[in-house]
Amino acid sequence: MGESVGLSDWTAIMSRQYMLQRVPASTSIHIDYAAELNEQQLAAVTAPPGPILVIAGAGSGKTRTLTYRVAYLLENGIDPRNILLLTFTNKAAREMLNRVANLLPVDASGLWGGTFHSVGNRILRRRGSALGYSSGFTIMDREDQKDLIDTVVASAGIDPKEIRFPKGDVLAEIFSFVINTEKPLEELLAEKFPYFLPLLDRIQDVQERYEKKKKATNSMDFDDLLQKTLLMFQQHERIAEVYRRQFQFILVDEYQDTNKIQADIVDLLASDHHNVMVVGDDAQSIYSWRGANFQNILEFPKRYPDAQVFKIEMNYRSVPEILEVANAAIAANVRQFRKHLSATRESKALKPALVALNDGAEQAQFVAQRILELRDENVDLNDIAVLYRAHYHAVELQLELSRRGIPYQITSGIRFFEQAHIKDVTSFVRFIANPRDEVAFNRMVKLLPGIGNRTAENLWQTWESRLAVAGIGDPGREKTPAPAGVSAPGYSERLLAMNVPAKSKKLWTQLAHTLDEIAPGGQPNPPSEMIASIVEAIYDDYAKVNFTNYELRREDLDQLAVFARQFKDVHEFLSQLALISNVDAEAAPGQTSDKEAVNLSTVHQAKGLEFHTVFVIWLTDGMFPSSRSLDTRDALEEERRLFYVAVTRARDELYLTYPQMRLSGGYGDVFQRPSRFLQEISNDLVEDWQVRRG
């Protein structure tokens, strides 16, 4: 735990400068740290100054440790103005400071607490003139940023409608990664956006123009709040010295989620005194895909050779049986600070369940039925979560919950069938099924370059008049039933006779021929085949330049095609989609805080949350861990950390499920291997559930 350090020792270690002592509060309250904290927390909170790494396991009271450390510094006479507390949300900083205020009767308003971005903003408002920015600079949101980049692209003489050039928000994402990972543009493209490598020179030119445009308009984007702060410190030593002297004690929350530039800012500010405490859990580092750098926490002791390392392993959340599985789940990772979570809660004599199911549909039935049983056992639906690796893993489950009337909410954002890329592709299918579907027609044609609302409206009027002449779907001609699709002449003949903008002609022709291909002779192909053709012929290229997470959306679309294989008829397929959407729409008003709903979430979105019961589904190799992660050890270890995060969300009950078969795009039923992560857990730690049909 280290020797106790007196007030004079703290100030001596802090700085050689003469310091004015803060006038103590009239009412002196001393916190009994030994009574308030467990032994491991106490050791970290009362550690002497210097670099400190706190490895805080899941559910171990990380926030409590940070809060009491701030209080301990204040009690030892450190001026609040000399403390910098960096968190990942401003809300987290406020909550910690409120807790400190409840512990000590001191005015800590001078303490700097907030996100890296908010602190960067504050510094740049005061000192940004050193970089040529006035204090009233505008901070652009992502929409503003996209608009400015689109303006720059146009001024660079690039016509995105003639070449498949990335849209503004995709470029914004690329530039953001370059800043936050501090990687050269070419390396970043090769790693994350290889399909844009042929455009490297043009993208580089746009990036340079964008930087100049921001300066000229006295504007910064969100990433500038970090990048310009670091740049200013590097270029202006006197400014850096002011803040190094001010921030004598730096505390960083969720350090495993910091990126390269954030770690550089902390290291620069702490370069004189090294009084930096970072708190985090390397086993929960799961955000490399958005720029977080695992090396920051792993190599902290290398960057600070005299660092003290504390491990907080007492878990207040889960029963011992779940923690035993969690410890086993992470054990195989080579690159980690090894720790062993131990429970403060008593055993429930209920082991986590390992459940093998026949296929995805049976998995969904099992989860839905068990949820209803738990509800009968008085477990609130809000306290039940189903976690998965990727959005599309929940497709069958959403359908099953909707059928059974079980309300659910998607913690990880929009529902699968309501996502833009899913609705885009199904608009083609809807149009084939009903050539009079104006909404589907408009959504479909607006995907093409040069076609906006006005043009789409004009095209629809032309199309509608041609349908009327042909009598297709006209209720007035019911004696001669309308064909399922457009009868000969085919789509290409009708559509190609229409006037479209010059920029749209090439893809308009492709659209017309694709519609003929997916409904030859007016008879629709099976829905799964239609979706695959639409994606390959038209939508894949569109998605690459329009979406920042193209690969994830492509996976969704592949899964949509797989899901559609169970329907031979296009109308049945669309009816099922409508059923899910309508049940969801009816449930939506009931998904307020006072109504119950099961939580469906990706594991990434569930980090930091906890539930009475957790189901982790689709635990098969290639699904969880994902197929993309199987190539490198680092990627596989991050997947294993993700599995560890999923397991440690559960307080009382945990169900690990895997289907033994799954539908595949073109291969029929495919046998699934159980996830390698399940095989790393000893059989005696789980209970094998044998599921039979009644």
Side-chain angles (χ1 to χ4, degrees):
M1 198 170 83
E3 299 175 8
S4 63
V5 182
L7 177 59
S8 59
D9 297 316
W10 281 82
T11 52
I13 295 167
M14 269 174 46
S15 172
R16 294 183 183 180
Q17 298 177 36
Y18 179 81
M19 295 197 63
L20 292 172
Q21 297 300 325
R22 185 170 52 87
V23 178
S26 56
T27 310
S28 181
I29 293 183
H30 292 285
I31 299 168
D32 185 350
Y33 292 94
E36 296 288 332
L37 304 166
N38 67 38
E39 196 174 325
Q40 295 172 335
Q41 293 168 337
L42 181 65
V45 164
T46 59
I52 299 168
L53 170 61
V54 181
I55 300 296
S60 67
K62 168 181 66 68
T63 303
R64 188 176 187 81
T65 304
L66 260 180
T67 301
Y68 275 82
R69 177 63 174 182
V70 173
Y72 188 73
L73 292 176
L74 294 171
E75 257 204 337
N76 275 277
I78 305 305
D79 192 304
R81 290 170 299 185
N82 294 131
I83 300 174
L84 173 63
L85 172 63
L86 292 163
T87 59
F88 269 77
T89 65
N90 287 313
K91 181 185 174 193
R94 281 195 305 273
E95 285 176 356
M96 282 190 220
L97 296 179
N98 286 338
R99 289 193 200 182
V100 170
N102 290 330
L103 291 172
L104 287 174
V106 296
D107 178 11
S109 58
L111 190 155
W112 283 46
T115 64
F116 282 87
H117 292 89
S118 67
V119 168
N121 173 54
R122 197 167 164 185
I123 291 171
L124 288 168
R125 294 285 178 200
R126 296 181 177 190
R127 306 280 181 168
S129 56
L131 295 177
Y133 283 87
S134 79
S135 61
F137 63 80
T138 300
I139 301 174
M140 297 183 289
D141 60 19
R142 190 44 79 91
E143 191 64 30
D144 298 332
Q145 191 182 1
K146 169 184 143 342
D147 292 344
L148 189 63
I149 292 174
D150 284 339
T151 303
V152 168
V153 168
S155 70
I158 298 166
D159 186 348
K161 296 177 177 70
E162 290 180 8
I163 61 167
R164 283 288 192 179
F165 199 73
K167 293 291 192 294
D169 47 359
V170 177
L171 288 168
E173 187 83 352
I174 291 170
F175 300 159
S176 179
F177 270 114
V178 167
I179 286 174
N180 288 301
T181 60
E182 297 184 351
K183 287 182 179 173
L185 179 61
E186 184 171 10
E187 185 184 331
L188 190 278
L189 288 182
E191 192 179 298
K192 293 190 74 72
F193 303 89
Y195 37 89
F196 291 142
L197 268 174
L199 301 170
L200 172 63
D201 290 343
R202 292 189 181 208
I203 293 174
Q204 208 141 24
D205 177 49
V206 168
Q207 186 183 25
E208 289 164 9
R209 288 168 179 263
Y210 174 54
E211 282 301 315
K212 288 176 185 169
K213 192 77 169 171
K214 283 188 294 185
K215 189 82 166 282
T217 57
N218 197 37
S219 302
M220 292 194 196
D221 59 39
F222 211 51
D223 298 305
D224 286 325
L225 300 177
L226 300 182
Q227 196 242 356
K228 297 292 189 286
T229 301
L230 181 61
L231 185 67
M232 184 173 64
F233 287 158
Q234 290 168 337
Q235 292 182 352
H236 299 275
E237 173 58 27
R238 288 182 63 187
I239 295 176
E241 188 184 345
V242 166
Y243 288 101
R244 281 202 302 268
R245 195 185 310 134
Q246 177 178 346
F247 300 133
Q248 292 288 332
F249 287 88
I250 302 170
L251 301 94
V252 188
D253 189 18
E254 302 284 12
Y255 190 68
Q256 78 280 347
D257 293 335
T258 54
N259 58 37
K260 181 75 169 66
I261 198 168
Q262 289 166 331
D264 285 351
I265 289 171
V266 170
D267 289 349
L268 189 147
L269 288 172
S271 59
D272 289 347
H273 52 68
H274 290 188
N275 291 334
V276 54
M277 173 189 266
V278 299
V279 181
D281 184 3
D282 58 299
Q284 296 186 67
S285 179
I286 58 173
Y287 294 118
S288 67
W289 52 276
R290 70 180 190 202
N293 190 342
F294 183 56
Q295 306 292 346
N296 291 348
I297 193 166
L298 205 64
E299 298 186 352
F300 186 85
K302 287 185 185 174
R303 300 204 312 282
Y304 296 89
D306 54 340
Q308 303 167 81
V309 180
F310 297 92
K311 294 180 183 176
I312 305 179
E313 300 165 298
M314 296 290 291
N315 176 286
Y316 293 88
R317 176 185 300 155
S318 307
V319 293
E321 291 79 6
I322 288 173
L323 294 184
E324 287 303 312
V325 169
N327 288 324
I330 199 66
N333 270 11
V334 175
R335 305 182 72 209
Q336 65 166 309
F337 293 102
R338 296 205 174 271
K339 60 181 176 299
H340 186 89
L341 293 179
S342 55
T344 57
R345 292 183 59 193
E346 292 183 7
S347 167
K348 283 186 71 175
L350 181 69
K351 290 181 180 179
L354 180 62
V355 192
L357 287 314
N358 184 43
D359 54 23
E362 189 172 277
Q363 177 178 246
Q365 289 163 17
F366 167 77
V367 172
Q369 182 173 312
R370 190 72 195 109
I371 285 171
L372 291 174
E373 290 166 356
L374 286 161
R375 185 68 195 85
D376 289 341
E377 294 165 22
N378 292 320
V379 178
D380 197 299
L381 291 182
N382 292 327
D383 217 5
I384 300 173
V386 184
L387 305 182
Y388 35 83
R389 175 66 185 82
H391 275 298
Y392 68 81
H393 293 175
V395 174
E396 292 106 335
L397 183 61
Q398 287 187 40
L399 185 60
E400 187 65 27
L401 294 176
S402 297
R403 282 173 179 154
R404 295 190 186 216
I406 301 173
Y408 65 91
Q409 58 190 358
I410 309 286
T411 309
S412 49
I414 199 160
R415 293 157 186 269
F416 183 83
F417 295 106
E418 292 168 7
Q419 296 175 102
H421 53 297
I422 301 296
K423 293 184 80 169
D424 286 345
V425 169
T426 52
S427 68
F428 289 75
V429 181
R430 284 173 51 190
F431 178 67
I432 290 293
N434 174 17
R436 291 189 173 277
D437 187 334
E438 182 178 357
V439 173
F441 178 89
N442 286 342
R443 185 167 193 124
M444 176 179 72
V445 301
K446 283 196 288 188
L447 296 172
L448 306 187
I451 298 180
N453 290 333
R454 178 68 58 83
T455 307
E457 192 180 319
N458 293 338
L459 288 169
W460 170 253
Q461 287 172 357
T462 306
W463 174 256
E464 194 176 32
S465 64
R466 293 181 182 216
L467 288 184
V469 170
I472 294 169
D474 184 350
R477 303 193 190 183
E478 282 172 4
K479 290 181 183 176
T480 355
V486 178
S487 56
Y491 287 97
S492 54
E493 194 168 332
R494 293 185 190 281
L495 290 170
L496 294 178
M498 293 164 63
N499 288 323
V500 295
K503 290 173 181 174
S504 314
K505 279 193 172 166
K506 184 180 173 187
L507 278 171
W508 184 260
T509 303
Q510 195 172 351
L511 167 68
H513 290 307
T514 302
L515 293 174
D516 271 348
E517 182 188 320
I518 63 178
Q523 297 307 308
N525 285 339
S528 180
E529 291 176 27
M530 293 171 74
I531 290 164
S533 297
I534 293 157
V535 171
E536 285 301 325
I538 291 176
Y539 200 76
D540 195 58
D541 283 342
Y542 172 86
K544 281 177 182 171
V545 300
N546 281 279
F547 297 123
T548 56
N549 55 349
Y550 156 74
E551 286 185 346
L552 294 178
R553 292 185 189 248
R554 179 60 202 253
E555 281 181 359
D556 283 349
L557 292 168
D558 291 344
Q559 184 60 27
L560 180 68
V562 169
F563 173 76
R565 282 193 59 219
Q566 59 193 295
F567 308 104
K568 296 298 174 210
D569 176 67
V570 66
H571 298 288
E572 185 192 353
F573 168 67
L574 292 172
S575 296
Q576 286 298 326
L577 296 196
L579 167 71
I580 294 174
S581 298
N582 286 330
V583 169
D584 290 350
E586 289 166 15
Q591 287 174 9
T592 52
S593 57
D594 60 344
K595 292 291 173 76
E596 289 185 72
V598 176
N599 301 280
L600 307 190
S601 176
T602 61
V603 184
H604 283 107
Q605 290 286 339
K607 184 173 172 287
L609 304 176
E610 58 180 74
F611 306 91
H612 176 281
T613 301
V614 168
F615 297 84
V616 187
I617 64 173
W618 275 111
L619 282 165
T620 62
D621 260 12
M623 301 291 261
F624 197 168
S626 71
S627 55
R628 287 201 309 274
S629 70
L630 302 179
D631 299 334
T632 68
R633 187 188 75 180
D634 282 355
L636 187 59
E637 290 208 347
E638 179 153 338
E639 290 287 300
R640 192 176 282 110
R641 295 194 293 270
L642 193 63
F643 178 53
Y644 172 84
V645 168
V647 168
T648 53
R649 298 311 93 201
R651 293 197 305 268
D652 295 271
E653 296 189 33
L654 175 66
Y655 298 84
L656 306 172
T657 72
Y658 66 95
Q660 295 172 309
M661 307 290 289
R662 77 177 171 100
L663 284 169
S664 172
Y667 307 105
D669 289 343
V670 176
F671 181 71
Q672 295 278 281
R673 288 177 184 274
S675 170
R676 62 194 65 195
F677 300 155
L678 295 176
Q679 294 165 27
E680 292 165 359
I681 298 169
S682 172
N683 289 338
D684 62 337
L685 297 181
V686 293
E687 184 177 29
D688 197 14
W689 284 36
Q690 301 291 327
V691 175
R692 298 194 310 271
R693 288 189 172 273

